[in-house]
């Protein structure tokens, strides 16, 4: 089972405040522990929304809204993708998040990633094959 760990934004991440050496060392150790355990697939921090944009479609027409975005509790500062055997195992990894982050006042969200079998018969063998080809091509493009 794959899960996304979402690190919620706060006033510091939105202000572009970078982590100090202690937090970088703690996060690196945490990520290394997950890598060595074979559960971490990817993890990245995100730039503040002042450097981002949203695209909102109305009646099929796109409109671009440049950041920053005001409601920090709804924003994402970073993410990790992990692969574990259960939701409970994923939660155990989240509970080990470095307490130095945001002075111990950080909010994480756990979301399970859809797998092909979750879509049932509607995800036909042809669509599954097309999806697999796209994933292979994307992997080659890295």
């Amino acid at each position: 089972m794959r899960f996304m760990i979402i690190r919620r934004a706060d006033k510091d991440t939105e202000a572009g405040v970078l982590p100090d050496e202690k937090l970088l060392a703690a996060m690196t150790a945490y990520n290394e522990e997950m890598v060595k355990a074979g559960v971490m697939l990817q993890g990245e921090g995100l730039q503040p929304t002042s450097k981002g944009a949203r695209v909102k479609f109305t009646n099929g027409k796109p409109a671009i809204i440049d950041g920053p975005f005001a409601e920090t509790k709804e924003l994402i500062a970073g993410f990790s993708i992990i692969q574990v055997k259960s939701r409970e195992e994923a939660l155990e990894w989240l509970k080990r998040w470095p307490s130095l982050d945001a002075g111990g006042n950080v909010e994480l969200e756990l979301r399970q990633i859809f797998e092909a079998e979750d879509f049932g018969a509607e995800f036909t063998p042809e669509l599954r094959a097309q999806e697999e080809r796209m994933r292979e091509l994307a992997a080659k493009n890295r």
Side-chain angles (χ1 to χ4, degrees):
M1 304 172 87
R2 291 180 303 150
F3 289 88
M4 176 181 275
I5 301 169
I6 299 167
R7 199 292 196 180
R8 290 284 176 195
D10 56 36
K11 63 179 178 50
D12 286 341
T13 61
E14 276 300 288
V17 176
L18 296 175
D20 63 18
E21 184 179 350
K22 284 183 178 181
L23 179 55
L24 285 171
M27 288 304 302
T28 300
Y30 173 71
N31 290 338
E32 185 175 31
E33 187 178 357
M34 288 197 299
V35 168
K36 286 180 177 178
V39 301
M40 186 164 181
L41 302 177
Q42 184 178 1
E44 306 293 340
L46 301 175
Q47 297 275 345
T49 62
S50 61
K51 295 182 178 183
R54 289 181 176 163
V55 179
K56 181 178 180 179
F57 287 83
T58 304
N59 298 320
K61 296 187 184 208
I64 297 172
I65 303 130
D66 289 320
F69 307 118
E71 198 59 46
T72 59
K73 68 180 182 179
E74 300 297 325
L75 302 175
I76 297 171
F79 70 93
S80 298
I81 306 290
I82 60 173
Q83 187 165 12
V84 293
K85 293 182 176 113
S86 67
R87 178 179 183 270
E88 292 73 26
E89 183 182 354
L91 288 169
E92 287 301 316
W93 281 107
L94 265 72
K95 290 193 295 188
R96 295 162 72 177
W97 191 269
S99 62
L100 289 174
D101 191 10
N105 299 302
V106 66
E107 184 176 344
L108 303 175
E109 181 177 330
L110 182 69
R111 301 282 301 274
Q112 188 170 349
I113 297 173
F114 277 111
E115 302 293 348
E117 56 271 8
D118 295 326
F119 293 105
E122 290 81 2
F123 198 38
T124 65
E126 295 80 19
L127 290 172
R128 287 177 190 244
Q130 182 179 2
E131 175 76 13
E132 186 59 35
R133 285 191 304 274
M134 285 190 303
R135 286 182 186 273
E136 289 172 5
L137 182 58
K140 288 179 187 175
N141 289 338
R142 287 185 202 165

